[in-house]
Amino acid sequence: MDSYKLEQLTVFVENRTGELLAITSILEKEGISITSIMLADSSEFGLLRLLTPEISRAKEVLLGNGFMAQTTQVLGVRIENHIGSFSRVVRILGWANIDIRYTYTVNEKNDGIFIFKVDDNLLEKGAKALLDGGVSLIKHEDL
């Protein structure tokens, strides 16, 4: 089941003008493509979560430019484009007693890909529950 664990980069971002531009410009300058990006904020800082085919290099480059960054394991779930398909995935994880910490999407032409963060010690259980439930998971090389 390890092959279904995706590495996501989380970057701590100060809530000030230009921070997101600084991060994306650094990655652009280094030729690192962003597959998916999600920014959530609080009153003092933001959490930028991103997927890239070059996760280790992106982390290294951002750390080298003074940003706090860490990798996190997540599940990438392919969800068909019809009513109820997202709910089905949430239901399967719920039946397996797995709490979803957060979720966000990755753009794709036909089906949606949703990223689900669950407790690290439940990633394999979640992947097995979803696969057993007939849900398609993605691997890092699918990004």
Side-chain angles (χ1 to χ4, degrees), residues 119-132:
D119 289 335
D120 288 346
N121 60 335
L122 296 175
L123 277 165
E124 285 190 29
K125 180 180 177 183
K128 182 176 182 340
L130 291 166
L131 290 170
D132 289 349

Side-chain angles (χ1 to χ4, degrees), residues 4-5 8-9 18 37 41 43 52 57 65 68 71 75 90 99 102 114-115 124 129 132 134-135 141:
Y4 292 110
K5 294 178 184 178
Q8 164 194 271
L9 187 61
I37 190 165
D41 72 334
S43 59
T52 174
R57 193 161 79 86
N65 279 276
M68 292 178 26
T71 56
L75 293 172
V90 172
D99 186 36
Y102 56 82
F114 284 78
I115 303 302
E124 285 190 29
D132 289 349
V135 175
E141 55 269 17

Side-chain angles (χ1 to χ4, degrees), residues 40-60:
D41 72 334
S42 68
S43 59
E44 297 175 17
F45 66 93
L47 291 176
L48 180 68
R49 294 182 171 110
L50 59 89
L51 298 176
T52 174
E54 299 181 76
I55 201 84
S56 296
R57 193 161 79 86
K59 179 181 176 184
E60 178 183 313

